[in-house]
Amino acid sequence: MSEISPWLAAPYETLLRWQANNRLPQSAILLGGWEAHCIHELIGAFLKHAFCQTQNACGQCQSCQWVNSVQHPDWLIVQGTGKLGDIGVEQVREVVPLLQSQPTHAPFRLICIADAHRMTESAANALLKVLEEPPNRTYWFLVTETPSRLLATIRSRCVTLDCRGDNDTIEGWLSAQTNVDKSVCRLALDLSGTPTKALALLTADTRFQLVIDNFVVLDSQKSLDWLDELMGRYGSEFCLSAMALGLRRYADRITNEQLDVLTRLWWHFSTKIQITEGERARQLLHELWIRWQTELAKP
Ligand SMILES: [Zn+2]
């Protein structure tokens, strides 16, 4: 239990309770990103509990070791392949013959579909067929951040468990991990949307906090270099968000008139940047930045 991320504690308890009461739903949507919210970690912790040969999540027995190394014969993970990460119909069909047999080492079989919204239409239809006649002792976890992209007929068969956690818990965790002020962690979370991406941003880009804190104070060339680097790493829309959030934090240090002008400039450029990319987007970002600097330099 101690190793589980704090925002997963509540869904973890729910899974344990469902299992203890024999109420594990045949199919469930786990709301969150497979990697981005560490849902794989949540499921691993749950299965160690459910599959352990000593019924104690001991971490030592064969079952626990299999779960740890994601090799338990009764735990299947269907994941997207290829450039687009799509989950094809063959991948769903591969699972079907297994369903004829009973689970081999555990009290039940669990099949996880990671980022389930990536199923192609035919994959989704194949899954629906299986869910319509669910085999005994087999459970399905569909992990996705965007359940609206699943077939409505699949959604209606699933119980939803929200595993995304509340922002306050996540910000506290980020702050403890990075020793960075909670308000900056909030900004990173706003920008990147998920705990693991925010952590990557806070640890990979050591200048992140510096730049946010000294938003417009840094000299121009350094700021432009930083923008280029951020753009190369995260894209132009990310830079626009970073600038908007930076401006919001900077707002109490400038006059209302300046804030108004800077905000209007941001809107003006952001509509242009959103319909372009590459070098042109980079130029527009630079132009916006320089226009901001010019406005702020006015007496
Ligand atoms: Zn064990």
Side-chain angles (χ1 to χ4, degrees):
M1 182 65 210
S2 58
E3 78 269 24
I4 204 158
S5 302
W7 65 90
L8 297 173
Y12 177 72
E13 292 299 328
T14 303
L15 288 174
L16 293 191
R17 198 171 56 244
W18 279 347
Q19 200 229 341
N21 299 332
N22 267 328
R23 299 284 296 274
L24 202 60
Q26 202 79 47
S27 44
I29 290 172
L30 268 53
L31 199 54
W34 179 257
E35 293 287 345
H37 290 95
C38 302
I39 307 291
H40 55 100
E41 178 194 308
L42 168 70
I43 297 172
F46 165 62
L47 286 186
K48 235 193 289 178
H49 186 92
F51 287 0
C52 178
Q53 286 154 349
T54 68
Q55 295 173 352
N56 204 22
C58 71
Q60 307 297 320
C61 70
Q62 179 71 74
S63 277
C64 282
Q65 287 181 22
W66 273 335
V67 170
N68 276 341
S69 55
V70 200
Q71 288 178 329
H72 199 292
D74 296 316
W75 179 22
L76 287 127
I77 299 170
V78 180
Q79 242 172 330
T81 52
K83 245 187 189 167
L84 297 174
D86 278 352
I87 299 171
V89 64
E90 310 76 30
Q91 288 177 273
V92 175
R93 285 201 185 123
E94 265 171 29
V95 175
V96 174
L98 295 170
L99 305 179
Q100 312 302 325
S101 62
Q102 296 295 316
T104 52
H105 292 79
F108 60 87
R109 178 186 283 128
L110 181 68
I111 304 174
C112 299
I113 305 192
D115 296 326
H117 56 274
R118 293 185 180 279
M119 277 187 291
T120 62
E121 203 183 326
S122 41
N125 281 317
L127 174 66
L128 180 61
K129 222 170 266 172
V130 183
L131 294 184
E132 278 168 351
E133 290 172 39
N136 217 2
R137 296 203 288 154
T138 296
Y139 299 88
W140 297 79
F141 284 176
L142 279 53
V143 180
T144 179
E145 284 184 86
T146 46
S148 59
R149 285 167 61 190
L150 298 175
L151 290 181
T153 38
I154 289 181
R155 275 203 313 269
S156 68
R157 288 174 188 280
C158 295
V159 172
T160 298
L161 180 62
D162 194 337
C163 307
R164 295 168 301 176
D166 66 282
N167 284 359
D168 199 50
T169 307
I170 298 171
E171 284 153 20
W173 175 80
L174 282 171
S175 181
Q177 297 288 313
T178 56
N179 221 3
V180 166
D181 185 72
K182 230 175 148 184
S183 62
V184 177
C185 294
R186 179 169 315 138
L187 203 55
L189 189 61
D190 272 356
L191 283 172
S192 48
T194 68
T196 52
K197 286 185 200 161
L199 183 63
L201 181 61
L202 287 165
T203 48
D205 198 329
T206 48
R207 284 174 301 164
F208 185 75
Q209 182 173 16
L210 179 76
V211 171
I212 296 299
D213 283 352
N214 305 286
F215 190 55
V216 193
V217 183
L218 286 178
D219 72 74
S220 244
Q221 191 49 51
K222 267 193 199 155
S223 302
L224 291 179
D225 289 348
W226 169 72
L227 264 186
D228 283 349
E229 194 179 317
L230 276 191
M231 174 151 171
R233 201 178 290 180
Y234 305 110
S236 54
E237 294 222 13
F238 179 95
C239 292
L240 277 173
S241 309
M243 289 173 77
L245 284 161
L247 180 60
R248 207 191 296 162
R249 267 176 75 87
Y250 196 70
D252 57 352
R253 285 186 264 175
I254 54 180
T255 66
N256 284 341
E257 290 73 28
Q258 282 177 315
L259 180 62
D260 189 45
V261 172
L262 264 52
T263 305
R264 273 192 279 126
L265 277 170
W266 184 89
W267 277 109
H268 174 72
F269 277 89
S270 95
T271 46
K272 286 189 187 177
I273 289 168
Q274 273 161 8
I275 52 167
T276 176
E277 54 185 17
E279 179 56 22
R280 181 70 191 130
R282 197 182 71 87
Q283 286 169 355
L284 285 167
L285 271 174
H286 279 206
E287 208 180 317
L288 168 59
W289 187 270
I290 290 161
R291 293 281 296 275
W292 273 13
Q293 301 272 346
T294 313
E295 285 302 323
L296 290 166
K298 281 183 187 167

